[in-house]
Amino acid sequence: MILTVTLNTALDLTYRVPALRPHTSHRVTDLRERPGGKGLNVARVLAALGHEVTVTGFAGGPTGRVVQDLLTGTAGVRDALVPVAGATRRTVAVVDDRTGDTTQLNEPGPVIAPAEWSAFQEAYEELLGGADAVALCGSLPPGVPVGAYALLIRRARAAGVPVLLDTSGEPLRRGVAARPDIVKPNAEELAELTGSHEPPGAVQDARRRGAGSVVASLGPGGLIAATPEGRWRAVPPARIRGNPTGAGDSASAGLLSALVERLPWPERLTRALALSAATVPAPTAGEFDRAVYERLLGRITVTAEVAAA
């Protein structure tokens, strides 16, 4: 079983409009709702790949009940969300059909009480006992300590469970110092962590700060990775147009699934990048176009840039 942690779960709403223009009314041509938050997106992709997945984090209020109802209908995903008094947040993505661009509006999330945070930690400890790997993903809701991910990483390491971390800002900085097995930032998050806008050097720097391996998403530029076996770059054959929301989460799912399957790094990066690119033409985050994914598997270029990291 793979465990994904989403402390700031959400109900994701995706609106499509013919053209997004400020200061005007818009007619929505399509509306989709789904369980959201980075870890839930990762879980849905992992389940589509055939892995057994358990999701945990927080859920509360009417919005939280909708999220859990939607999870009930997701094959391969078990709901272990911890109830809270506050209401689960909503996120709204507005897709402009004319340009393909997406505008994202994210609510902050419910305030988590100390007793609720303690209840989550107890649930997490129990779930680790049956986990082959764990993904810690996304932002922290108000009330959760900024060092929460560092704490959860240390507990996973004590239980012998490998950890992937995908977050940003101070939670990322503290989490890296706790020595997760894989850190997956995007280019902006990597630059914020290291102070460098040169990804080859920045992934190396992030490893020196404590991460076992660092895999950075470079958008259309693919992935760059610093690992104990070497430094790698994975490049897609062409840019795919569509909505990139959730592409990074699909990359995390690819890395985590390949870790559990003990694949070598070139195959891990190929899977991660193919899933990421195949998410762009999909209707919403947490989904991928399987035909695009399978076509890309044989067309992605992975290059070893140095012999050892």
Side-chain angles (χ1 to χ4, degrees), residues 21-301:
R21 297 186 178 89
H23 316 301
T24 64
S25 296
H26 295 79
R27 184 175 297 279
V28 175
T29 58
D30 184 62
L31 165 63
R32 295 175 187 249
E33 62 178 15
R34 59 177 178 75
K38 294 178 73 65
L40 295 188
N41 293 340
V42 171
R44 293 168 68 212
V45 174
L46 285 168
L49 292 172
H51 288 274
E52 178 187 350
V53 189
T54 297
V55 298
T56 191
F58 297 112
T63 308
R65 287 193 291 274
V66 173
V67 168
Q68 292 186 285
D69 287 345
L70 291 170
L71 283 173
T72 300
T74 305
V77 176
R78 182 171 79 89
D79 173 9
L81 294 170
V82 175
V84 294
T88 295
R89 67 188 178 129
R90 295 161 297 179
T91 67
V92 178
V94 183
V95 181
D96 184 327
D97 284 334
R98 178 176 56 86
T99 64
D101 293 337
T102 300
T103 299
Q104 193 84 16
L105 304 173
N106 297 330
E107 295 179 356
V111 177
I112 305 301
E116 293 168 339
W117 172 233
S118 296
F120 169 80
Q121 292 178 68
E122 292 178 9
Y124 177 74
E125 292 269 13
E126 184 175 344
L127 290 166
L128 281 176
D132 299 313
V134 58
L136 307 175
C137 302
S139 61
L140 302 179
V144 172
V146 71
Y149 283 138
L151 171 67
L152 299 181
I153 290 165
R154 288 193 292 268
R155 292 187 177 176
R157 288 179 59 83
V161 180
V163 183
L164 179 145
L165 176 65
D166 184 1
T167 187
S168 60
E170 186 64 12
L172 174 60
R173 190 184 69 80
R174 297 197 187 193
V176 167
R179 304 182 65 82
D181 296 85
I182 303 174
V183 174
K184 199 221 68 61
N186 60 31
E188 181 180 346
E189 293 160 351
L190 181 65
E192 183 181 8
L193 173 65
T194 64
S196 171
H197 291 273
E198 299 296 331
V203 290
Q204 295 282 65
D205 186 5
R207 272 206 76 220
R208 286 191 289 269
R209 293 167 186 257
S213 298
V214 180
V215 181
S217 300
L218 305 180
L223 302 173
I224 188 167
T227 79
E229 289 77 32
R231 197 173 74 207
W232 311 84
R233 185 183 291 269
V235 180
R239 182 169 184 167
I240 296 177
R241 292 188 59 82
N243 178 7
T245 304
D249 303 332
S250 293
S252 292
L255 292 170
L256 204 59
S257 65
L259 181 152
V260 169
E261 296 171 28
R262 302 180 183 276
L263 298 181
W265 270 105
E267 292 182 39
R268 294 188 196 188
L269 295 173
T270 296
R271 177 181 294 182
L273 183 52
L275 284 169
S276 178
T279 297
V280 174
T284 59
E287 301 177 6
F288 62 95
D289 186 313
R290 190 169 291 274
V292 172
Y293 167 64
E294 292 176 354
R295 183 173 72 249
L296 287 173
L297 283 174
R299 301 179 61 199
I300 287 170
T301 302

